Amino acid sequence: MVIRAGSLLLALDLAGTAVFALNGALTAVRAARLDIVGVVALGMITALGGGIIRDVILGYLPPATFRDWRYLVVAATGALVAFAWGRRLDRLAFPIEVFDALGLSFFAVTGATKALDAGLGPVQAVILGAVTGVGGGTIRDVLIGRVPTVLTSGLYAIPALVGALVTVGAAELGLRGWPAAVIAVVACFVIRMVGVRFDLNAPAPPGAPRP
């Protein structure tokens, strides 16, 4: 069965929306102690922020979030699931990190792919892929009053850049579809989780305090 590029992008976009909604809502439950309005709002903002930034930059207005009801439903559902079950995960940081890494990976791939489809060059596509991946998490961190993860963790932006780079590189070689997307997602996810597991960061200025 042949899977169209549009279906692939939509599937990855919705998958990223779902896992980022869970991540944002779990972060609200675990770190910010918000009520149901705050939990759902933070989950949806985390899930939709990166995609909105991407679409605005590409000139896709209104953004896909407001043109396709599925984005809002998936984001709200993910946030509500996290609200209902989040207390059981309250003491567990690992599920939040996993969801964050998955969302980062999905959005890095869709951001780079949509940039290429819009006619942007390879370098611009890599940058936009990374921006799409880190956008929602950055907004989330600002709203709960902490320094964004992308600025304190060296292996956060870097995995997004790698995922976007693999996507762009595969496209330049004429490779599109699920195989290239899966490889890019796995590359981003593995690098991010290795960073989480071993507490790795990019080099900091000499004498700078450890984040």
Side-chain angles (χ1 to χ4, degrees):
M1 181 177 67
V2 177
I3 301 176
R4 295 182 179 178
S7 300
L8 171 60
L9 277 179
L10 179 61
L12 290 176
D13 233 9
L14 291 176
T17 299
V19 295
F20 258 177
L22 285 168
N23 169 264
L26 286 174
T27 300
V29 171
R30 179 175 179 268
R33 305 289 180 176
L34 303 179
D35 61 16
I36 185 171
V37 175
V39 170
V40 173
L42 194 63
M44 294 185 70
I45 289 170
T46 305
L48 303 173
I52 291 174
I53 293 172
R54 174 199 64 210
D55 289 350
V56 169
I57 291 176
L58 292 176
Y60 294 158
L61 301 175
T65 297
F66 303 108
R67 286 186 284 107
D68 190 333
W69 60 269
R70 287 172 289 189
Y71 287 93
L72 293 174
V73 170
V74 168
T77 300
L80 287 171
V81 168
F83 177 81
W85 297 91
R87 294 298 178 185
R88 300 185 180 184
L89 301 174
D90 190 27
R91 294 180 295 240
L92 302 177
F94 186 71
I96 297 178
E97 298 288 1
V98 171
F99 289 135
D100 192 58
L102 284 171
L104 181 73
S105 304
F106 290 140
F107 278 152
V109 173
T110 60
T113 302
K114 285 196 171 184
L116 290 174
D117 291 343
L120 271 64
V123 174
Q124 293 87 341
V126 170
I127 294 173
L128 188 57
V131 169
T132 305
V134 306
T138 299
I139 298 172
R140 172 203 64 206
D141 291 343
V142 170
L143 289 177
I144 63 174
R146 72 183 185 189
V147 178
T149 304
V150 68
L151 300 180
T152 59
S153 175
L155 291 187
Y156 194 79
I158 290 176
L161 287 167
V162 170
L165 182 62
V166 171
T167 302
V168 172
E172 290 293 307
L173 294 175
L175 303 175
R176 291 285 188 109
W178 282 105
V182 168
I183 293 172
V185 167
V186 169
C188 179
F189 179 79
V190 169
I191 295 173
R192 175 58 184 157
M193 293 310 299
V194 167
V196 171
R197 174 64 179 83
F198 296 102
D199 194 23
L200 300 177
N201 289 283
R210 179 179 173 79

